[in-house]
Amino acid sequence: MTSTISISIDGKTCECPMIIGSEGERALDISHLRAATGLITLDPGYGNTGSCQSAITYIDGEKGILRYRGIPIQEFVEHPNFVEVAWLLIFGRLPKKAELARFSVRLTDNAHLHEAMKHNFEGFPATAQPMAITSAMINTIGCFHSELFLPRDDPETEEAAARLISKIRTIAAFTYRKVRGLPYIYANPRLRYCANLLHMMFSMPYDEHVIDKEIEDAMNLIFILHADHEQNCSTSTVRMVGSSQANLFASCAAGVCALWGPRHGGANVAVLEMLERIHQGGLTAEKYIELAKRKDSDVRLMGFGHRVYKNYDPRARILQKTCEKVLKKLKIKDPLLDIARKLEELALNDSYFVERKLYPNVDFYSGIILRAVGIPTNMFTVMFVIGRLPGWIAHWKEQHDDPTTKIARPRQIYTGLVNQHYVPLDQR
Ligand code: CMC
């Protein structure tokens, strides 16, 4: 197989090395193309651009495969342990018993926020967007731990990761309580990661929230399935911000902002709003599908389609089953699930969606599960943040540990005015 491809333009040649990944994917390294030929490549939305080489997550979008550090995500379903998967993503292998125990202790020790941070929560209006609070609070916790801004080795990374992964859960719970005007509930060191989140969200000072093991497992699974997805918009943001050697906390805070949008993590909110709109009778599922197909409408079938998956998103398959299990366990008959099933059936039999290879993605069923657990719609994307944080940390670390990392600085093709001159204000 050729290991170099020559590109000749106007008599100038660039030798582009062929990069081959461990799953046989091929890429052309065009990093010297401009120096050799004067040309850059243009790829809006980066659909055909590899921004880095990464050993964290593998996706085959055509076959619907997703693996974390080589392990198919289906293998986490039977033993859902988000903390274990977080460590796997960040450090590259499954933790040994003692390592997992040490990391769990670190998570427990770091669950509390500095008391001064309560004032930060107080400063937000009750109408504040939870994602705005979350992003701001990640930078705020960084202010209390600036010695861990740029971890220098694995023990320091583990400490920084434990603080972020533990405190994001407390931030999420406090955000929920603040917006509702409820008293803050502190973490209980005897509870595991997901149970503690639900405790801090739903217990009252006089009434402990009882956490069912199946619901705890479902939350673990949701977080695991969101934990990493290679170079998606928010992870690329974290890497881009981190490439300037901005600190880990600031880079993750930026990731939250990227995740917020409805084409990315915010889609889980948009899915629920779509299902509710149909349920309230404004539209039928059939009419919604017709609207989503029209090019003169800005409506999309939310929770459908993916830049990489041109097949059923394996996360959606797992979540569909989890959704049914959770509703059964909680004895909930949610009409929104029926609407979701109907939309899926219509779309999968409609040539518009079939031809464009649009399938349900991770956001299509996750919201129905979160709603059944009692999590309000405006907190859904914050739940996505909790899940995605280990992935962001893993990518930030991978990039930070690589001595060849360069600042991310794409080029452009300028299309603006040329040869203009300044005109003084009184002459315009
Ligand atoms: N409903 C209707 N049409 C769609 C949809 C959809 N959900 N998604 C894509 N299309 C159409 C799109 O209009 C275009 O049609 P045409 O070729 O006729 O112009 C074609 O499919 C390709 O779409 P695209 O926007 O060029 O594809 P993309 O890879 O840039 O976008 C996406 C991917 C996820 C942003 C898009 O599918 C979408 O907006 N989906 C709905 C939002 C959503 O569910 N987002 C969550 C993604 S998964 C979790 C995450 O990443 O956070």
Side-chain angles (χ1 to χ4, degrees), residues 269-338:
V269 173
V271 168
L272 238 284
E273 287 169 352
M274 169 183 82
L275 298 176
E276 263 165 0
R277 196 172 151 204
I278 297 171
H279 179 55
Q280 280 156 14
L283 276 174
T284 60
E286 287 80 359
K287 279 204 179 125
Y288 195 94
I289 292 283
E290 286 312 311
L291 207 53
K293 288 173 4 183
R294 274 179 36 191
K295 291 294 157 203
D296 59 348
S297 92
D298 57 2
V299 170
R300 285 194 166 196
L301 180 55
M302 300 313 288
F304 251 73
H306 198 276
R307 171 63 61 78
V308 181
Y309 291 119
K310 301 302 166 200
N311 201 327
Y312 213 104
D313 181 335
R315 304 168 298 173
R317 249 189 228 295
I318 297 171
L319 285 177
Q320 187 189 31
K321 285 193 193 131
T322 311
C323 184
E324 277 159 19
K325 261 170 78 178
V326 167
L327 294 198
K328 195 169 161 206
K329 174 76 200 178
L330 295 174
K331 297 190 176 64
I332 292 175
K333 171 118 188 54
D334 190 342
L336 299 195
L337 178 59
D338 298 331

Side-chain angles (χ1 to χ4, degrees), residues 393-413:
I393 297 169
H395 282 273
W396 189 94
K397 171 179 160 40
E398 182 174 65
Q399 178 176 263
H400 185 65
D401 289 351
D402 179 356
T404 67
T405 292
K406 288 183 172 181
I407 187 165
R409 203 305 185 185
R411 288 192 176 261
Q412 64 162 23
I413 294 294

Side-chain angles (χ1 to χ4, degrees), residues 197-198 201-202 219 370-377 379-380 383:
L197 168 70
L198 299 176
M201 285 184 84
F202 301 130
M219 291 303 291
L370 294 175
R371 176 174 136 106
V373 172
I375 293 164
T377 312
M379 287 295 295
F380 286 3
M383 296 299 120

Side-chain angles (χ1 to χ4, degrees), residues 72-81 84-85 213 217-218 220-221 224-225 318 321-322 325:
I73 43 134
Q74 291 79 358
E75 292 188 19
F76 299 110
V77 174
E78 289 307 311
H79 318 277
N81 183 339
E84 182 180 57
V85 171
K213 178 73 172 68
D217 283 353
N220 268 290
L221 198 52
I224 289 171
L225 295 176
I318 297 171
K321 285 193 193 131
T322 311
K325 261 170 78 178

Side-chain angles (χ1 to χ4, degrees), residues 4 7-8 27 73-74 85 94 119 124 126 128 147 158 204 229 244 340 342 344 372 388 421:
T4 303
I7 298 182
S8 294
I73 43 134
Q74 291 79 358
V85 171
L94 287 167
H119 298 289
F124 285 100
E147 74 286 0
E158 192 180 79
M204 290 304 266
H229 216 235
S244 73
K342 178 81 186 161
E344 180 180 342
R388 185 56 53 90
H421 293 287

